[in-house]
Amino acid sequence: VVHISLKIKKIDALETEVQELRKKLATTEELLETNMRDFAYTSELASASFYSNAQLASVSELTTGRFLDVNDMWVTTRGFTREEAIGKTADELNIWGDTENRSQILKDIHETGRLRNYETTSVMRSGETREFILNAEILHINGRQLLFFSGMDITERKKYENNLKRSQKMDAVGQLTGGIAHDFNNLLGIIQGNLELIEESLPDNAQLKKLVNSALHGTNRGVSLTRKLLSFSSQHASGNLSANANDLILNTKDLIAKSLTASIFIETRLSPASLKIMVDPGDFEDSIINLCMNAHDAMPEGGNILIESFTSTLTEQYAQLNPGVEPGEYIAVRITDTGTGMSPETKEHIFEPFFSTKSCGKGTGLGLSMVFGFISRSNGHIQVQSNLNEGSCFTLYFPKSETPQEVNDPAQLADNSKEPMPQGNETVLVVDDEGYLVEIAGTFLKRLGYKVITTTEPAEALDIIRKNSDIDLLFTDIVMPGSMNGFQLAAAAREFRSDIKILLTSGYSKANDLLTPEIARKIDDLIQNTLPKPYPHVQMAKAVRKALN
Ligand SMILES: Nc1ncnc2c1ncn2[C@@H]1O[C@H](COP(=O)(O)OP(=O)(O)O)[C@@H](O)[C@H]1O
Ligand SMILES: [Mg+2]
């Protein structure tokens, strides 16, 4: 009995123990389940963050370099399928391209166990090279050494930054060029004006006349050069009219065809629809001629020039990469040649004034800068595609013109060297901060019969107007140092004398930047008729007469 009762006790004890163990098991099982759930969560999270990451990611075996897995972005960007990648090495897929990068990256990883923010290029399946920032980490898992790579594709960002830098550089060059051209214009004005005065009062001395003429000829060349510089830097679109791009192209085609060598063929493929754009027609034609002459120069052995016109969309994505471009519908004019093409280095600089790869005397380097100025004045965009030995393709994009407001004075810049000059006997107040220019203009106007008062001080000019009610015309420069520019002077003059006639003149392409909306409202009519400096006398005589009338 004792024996049995002992056994029962033991069994009881065992049972309690079993029960306790059962309880423990249950807790452990519960714990395990929680852990399993946690693990599933973590691994799903890791997997999601691997596969759906916006950056490229891959895992490979450190020793062999063979890919174990790659993520979706890797597949989309590189163009290989996951199946194609797994089991292969980066070398077999020719991902590195440049072997120097490869050894540097692997050296860094082996030395430090990781790679941080390494900027490099890599080759896609298509052969395209893209730019990346790479990070890597060696992982130790189950006794295996794995290499985790992540790459951020910065190709687009780089492109945008480069485009932005380029456009800022062009702005700066424009500012500089405009400034220099302005000052040169004034100097040329002084020389031109004095020479014309000398010429007019020269005795009949053939030899002296010849000398003066040759000096005048030199000045005119200087004027035409500064005009070209201004045409690069000027943002002021004064001569814009609504025109059909196709008509403008056809206008110039014959002229271009005549000046091409026989081995160059020119073909046009124009949109059958009328393509209305708002441009300065003269500038448009000059641009087409410049582009075709460049194409001609790039094809010394002969070739083809194709001029096309069509409607085209610049996408949101394209606009994001190109600062200043508005997405939308455009009219495109494209000029393609089969010439030498350009290296990336050349392409980088072609729009800069005076950049030319042509031998001295052949190229001025002002052709494309003129085209560039014209395009920005037309609120357009220019795109260049070219590779060495693969020809070049320039596409000009113009906003569609909705308002066909024809302006009716296109032949303004006609040759007017020996026309009779209109005269008068009114009183003219001439204002220019440049003393010599004031004097020249004054002398010249006196010869035409006008009564003239001159000053270099805008404030004094205002005083003169206040005191002399007989002043018929205020003839003033726009850009003057000090507290009052020509616009402000003109507006103030009108306050005193609502009937005073005013003629503005300026040699500075960005003069209109000085205009405030308030002033613009008061003298809007004058701004349209600004006389560009330097001016041949006959043009000034006409402008003065027109303003007085
Ligand atoms: N169609 C083209 N093919 C090859 N190179 C070109 C082409 N157009 C322009 N270029 C390059 O751009 C440079 C600048 O052109 P541009 O401003 O017209 O000056 P220029 O013709 O006086 O050299 C040229 O010298 C040339 O190197
Ligand atoms: Mg050229």
Side-chain angles (χ1 to χ4, degrees):
V1 170
V2 170
H3 191 70
I4 288 174
S5 82
L6 263 176
K7 270 232 161 117
I8 287 175
K9 249 190 202 157
K10 236 184 200 170
I11 288 172
D12 276 354
L14 274 177
E15 237 161 43
T16 347
E17 207 173 310
V18 168
Q19 248 164 26
E20 234 142 65
L21 279 176
R22 277 224 179 93
K23 241 190 249 160
K24 254 190 200 160
L25 183 65
T27 339
T28 315
E29 263 173 358
E30 226 168 79
L31 200 63
L32 182 66
E33 204 173 306
T34 324
N35 280 344
M36 291 276 276
R37 240 184 283 131
D38 281 353
F39 176 73
Y41 172 76
T42 317
S43 96
E44 226 164 282
L45 200 64
S47 149
S49 84
F50 178 81
Y51 289 110
S52 67
N53 205 300
Q55 298 195 8
L56 282 67
S58 68
V59 183
S60 53
E61 209 152 22
L62 186 66
T63 44
T64 61
R66 296 198 178 283
F67 283 115
L68 298 172
D69 208 353
V70 295
N71 74 348
D72 295 359
M73 198 42 131
W74 192 102
V75 168
T76 331
T77 309
R78 293 202 174 274
F80 296 105
T81 63
R82 186 167 283 122
E83 293 69 35
E84 281 171 318
I86 291 174
K88 297 262 176 44
T89 66
D91 277 337
E92 285 165 354
L93 297 179
N94 189 29
I95 278 174
W96 296 107
D98 171 2
T99 46
E100 220 174 278
N101 274 335
R102 172 187 185 275
S103 45
Q104 183 60 46
I105 289 170
L106 291 179
K107 189 168 154 259
D108 280 9
I109 292 174
H110 282 289
E111 272 171 15
T112 62
R114 65 214 303 246
L115 185 73
R116 284 293 175 268
N117 299 326
Y118 188 90
E119 224 179 291
T120 185
T121 57
S122 182
V123 183
M124 307 303 103
R125 181 189 201 146
S126 62
E128 179 200 8
T129 301
R130 298 187 71 85
E131 299 187 57
F132 292 92
I133 292 179
L134 294 184
N135 281 284
E137 203 84 42
I138 295 181
L139 311 174
H140 303 270
I141 295 174
N142 298 333
R144 282 167 91 192
Q145 283 193 307
L146 306 182
L147 184 58
F148 173 78
F149 250 116
S150 77
M152 180 157 57
D153 188 345
I154 52 166
T155 317
E156 255 71 48
R157 194 177 87 192
K158 277 270 160 114
K159 259 190 215 154
Y160 175 80
E161 283 171 1
N162 279 342
N163 288 341
L164 186 65
K165 249 187 248 162
R166 191 175 312 130
S167 95
Q168 283 168 341
K169 182 178 72 183
M170 292 307 278
D171 277 353
V173 176
Q175 198 97 27
L176 180 70
T177 315
I180 294 175
H182 167 243
D183 285 359
F184 259 94
N185 254 350
N186 271 352
L187 300 181
L188 286 168
I190 295 171
I191 300 170
Q192 190 185 50
N194 280 312
L195 285 172
E196 285 189 346
L197 288 175
I198 293 173
E199 192 192 28
E200 282 154 21
S201 50
L202 211 56
D204 251 347
N205 179 332
Q207 207 180 354
L208 282 184
K209 283 220 153 127
K210 208 172 138 198
L211 293 179
V212 171
N213 264 328
S214 141
L216 262 174
H217 183 67
T219 324
N220 290 341
R221 278 178 52 191
V223 170
S224 116
L225 180 68
T226 45
R227 282 265 152 79
K228 281 186 188 155
L229 288 179
L230 287 173
S231 124
F232 163 64
S233 59
S234 170
Q235 289 305 315
H236 182 49
S238 50
N240 279 9
L241 323 171
S242 174
N244 180 358
N246 293 334
D247 293 345
L248 298 176
I249 294 172
L250 291 175
N251 280 351
T252 49
K253 192 192 167 188
D254 288 341
L255 184 69
I256 293 165
K258 266 186 217 142
S259 51
L260 295 175
T261 35
S263 55
I264 294 177
F265 299 96
I266 181 163
E267 190 195 336
T268 45
R269 243 177 255 160
L270 305 182
S271 151
S274 162
L275 302 176
K276 287 272 181 195
I277 52 179
M278 272 301 270
V279 291
D280 181 318
D283 278 359
F284 181 96
E285 294 178 6
D286 281 351
S287 297
I288 301 296
I289 292 171
N290 271 320
L291 291 166
C292 288
M293 288 307 124
N294 282 343
H296 166 270
D297 291 346
M299 300 188 290
E301 317 273 276
N304 297 312
I305 300 177
L306 173 64
I307 309 181
E308 294 165 284
S309 69
F310 48 94
T311 49
S312 175
T313 307
L314 291 179
T315 61
E316 184 77 43
Q317 196 188 9
Y318 185 85
Q320 271 169 14
L321 285 182
N322 293 277
V325 173
E326 291 288 331
E329 284 273 294
Y330 285 81
I331 306 280
V333 175
R334 176 172 289 166
I335 292 163
T336 314
D337 67 59
T338 55
T340 56
M342 287 173 262
S343 67
E345 294 74 40
T346 299
K347 210 161 68 179
E348 190 62 39
H349 298 289
I350 50 175
F351 293 114
E352 293 164 17
F354 300 114
F355 175 84
S356 176
T357 56
K358 294 169 194 171
S359 58
C360 201
K362 269 213 91 184
T364 59
L366 290 173
L368 288 184
S369 47
M370 180 266 147
V371 176
F372 181 89
F374 161 64
I375 287 294
S376 43
R377 275 196 298 285
S378 313
N379 298 316
H381 172 64
I382 185 161
Q383 189 189 64
V384 189
Q385 283 162 308
S386 180
N387 287 311
L388 214 50
N389 302 321
E390 288 176 18
S392 303
C393 174
F394 288 80
T395 314
L396 318 183
Y397 293 91
F398 300 92
K400 280 187 171 173
S401 160
E402 313 290 345
T403 46
Q405 41 172 215
E406 310 277 344
V407 184
N408 43 22
D409 191 15
Q412 239 181 8
L413 281 172
D415 178 26
N416 33 28
S417 44
K418 286 291 168 242
E419 289 170 63
M421 294 190 206
Q423 311 196 334
N425 54 15
E426 290 93 336
T427 306
V428 183
L429 171 60
V430 187
V431 190
D432 195 314
D433 59 296
E434 188 70 66
Y436 288 113
L437 285 180
V438 167
E439 231 168 88
I440 291 168
T443 311
F444 178 68
L445 288 172
K446 273 183 207 154
R447 283 192 185 169
L448 291 177
Y450 295 101
K451 291 182 273 302
V452 180
I453 305 173
T454 62
T455 171
T456 55
E457 292 288 334
E460 193 181 76
L462 208 53
D463 221 35
I464 294 171
I465 293 169
R466 218 177 314 182
K467 289 179 186 146
N468 299 270
S469 56
D470 56 345
I471 289 177
D472 300 296
L473 175 74
L474 165 66
F475 176 35
T476 177
D477 190 22
I478 294 174
V479 185
M480 293 184 281
S483 58
M484 202 189 292
N485 61 47
F487 292 136
Q488 290 162 321
L489 174 60
R494 276 195 170 164
E495 304 253 303
F496 290 119
R497 288 264 318 275
S498 56
D499 63 324
I500 196 167
K501 304 288 188 333
I502 302 176
L503 174 61
L504 298 172
T505 179
S506 176
Y508 190 41
S509 56
K510 295 200 170 143
N512 279 13
D513 293 354
L514 298 175
L515 207 53
T516 60
E518 193 199 344
I519 298 279
R521 232 175 301 122
K522 293 182 183 160
I523 56 169
D524 193 37
D525 53 317
L526 304 175
I527 298 158
Q528 309 304 326
N529 294 312
T530 302
L531 176 67
K533 279 209 288 190
Y535 37 73
H537 281 168
V538 57
Q539 243 175 49
M540 191 239 259
K542 280 183 176 175
V544 164
R545 196 59 259 160
K546 193 173 156 207
L548 278 164
N549 291 350

